[in-house]
Amino acid sequence: MIKGTTKLLGVIGHPVEHSLSPAMHNAAISHLGVDFVYLPFPVKPGDLKVALAGFAAIGVRGFSITIPHKQAILPLLSEVSPIARSIGAVNTVYLTDKGWCGTNTDVEGFLAPLQTPPTPPYQGGAKDAISAVESCPPPYQGGARGGSDWSQKVAVILGNGGAARAVVAGCAQLGCAEIHVVGRSEQNLAEFQQSWVNSPMPVQNLQVHTWDNLSMLISQADLLVNTTPVGMYPQGEKSPVATGAIDRISAGAIVYDLIYTPNPTQFLKEAQLRGARAIDGLEMLVQQGAAALKIWLNKESVPVDVMRQALRQHLGLD
């Protein structure tokens, strides 16, 4: 029940009606029995500064950020974490004695499923191909070619936009031997690579490539990540990787798609049919949200399984 004592959390964006965050956060809040509520706040680009002042005035404790505010909010914050500066975007804001502070939980969200067992090879059936990952499973011991040491593994990232930046930072934290980013524009790729040289989190083992090198890269990949929107609803029949190229994926390689609708994507289905292990974007969404909720509630743990189940039900996956 919302009362006069209820503390406010939320998500800002424009538009924000599509956000899945209220469903998973309010499910967790209800499960925990804490006096909070998580609301969607539509904020137009020109109103961002005014919105921050208004949030402070009414005692908002923290909020998530979606398009188009992830970069625009940076100069308005009192403090920004090194990881958010490296990525160049903030997705989580919380209030401290210093004012509004920003961080980015996308890296933590991306990494979490890589530390749990990926799903078995695809056996057919769109809804049951990727089962929910347990909230507290043992540490991931697999990897594409055996062992949990990522220092000998090769990551290939499709796309060089904002989502790819979080994935590059995550692969660097894993300690991947090689990180390859694939994009369409040589100039954009060069700028992407250069941006990491003087970053708060420098990435030295990053190489960039155009798409015509993809088949060769896939044959080397231990981890293949799609950060592009290709294959997202309503164009769920598409894949960012042609059949001839995905044929070169190694059995046991991990294939990760940041898209969560459809579930699984065509990209994941084709990779699983060739013996790859699959992770879908729903788990990253859940885990980045859980990381943010821990910050706002000042808790060491939150009910990740409850958040995951709320999203699956909301999306009609169960």
Side-chain angles (χ1 to χ4, degrees), residues 82-141:
I83 190 70
R85 289 207 179 278
S86 296
I87 297 171
V90 165
N91 78 337
T92 301
V93 174
Y94 54 99
L95 193 61
T96 72
D97 294 339
K98 297 179 181 179
W100 293 115
C101 297
T103 189
N104 195 304
T105 63
D106 283 337
V107 175
E108 187 172 343
F110 168 72
L111 290 175
L114 294 173
Q115 296 157 357
T116 61
T119 53
Y122 178 62
Q123 299 296 332
K127 290 187 178 181
D128 58 3
I130 299 180
S131 59
V133 180
E134 294 298 326
S135 56
C136 297
Y140 174 55
Q141 299 296 328

Side-chain angles (χ1 to χ4, degrees), residues 131-162:
S131 59
V133 180
E134 294 298 326
S135 56
C136 297
Y140 174 55
Q141 299 296 328
R145 293 175 183 151
S148 57
D149 181 7
W150 287 86
S151 66
Q152 303 301 314
K153 293 185 168 62
V154 175
V156 176
I157 301 164
L158 308 179
N160 59 310

Side-chain angles (χ1 to χ4, degrees), residues 238-298:
K238 294 186 177 181
S239 170
V241 179
T243 300
I246 202 64
D247 283 341
R248 305 193 68 178
I249 193 73
S250 298
I254 300 171
V255 179
Y256 197 145
D257 200 335
L258 302 196
I259 295 171
Y260 49 83
T261 51
N263 188 296
T265 59
Q266 187 67 23
F267 171 59
L268 288 184
K269 287 192 285 187
E270 291 179 0
Q272 286 182 298
L273 286 169
R274 291 156 177 82
R277 299 171 180 268
I279 300 173
D280 66 80
L282 188 67
E283 191 62 20
M284 178 175 172
L285 179 65
V286 171
Q287 296 288 351
Q288 65 80 27
L293 195 58
K294 290 176 188 177
I295 294 172
W296 297 324
L297 300 185
N298 193 27

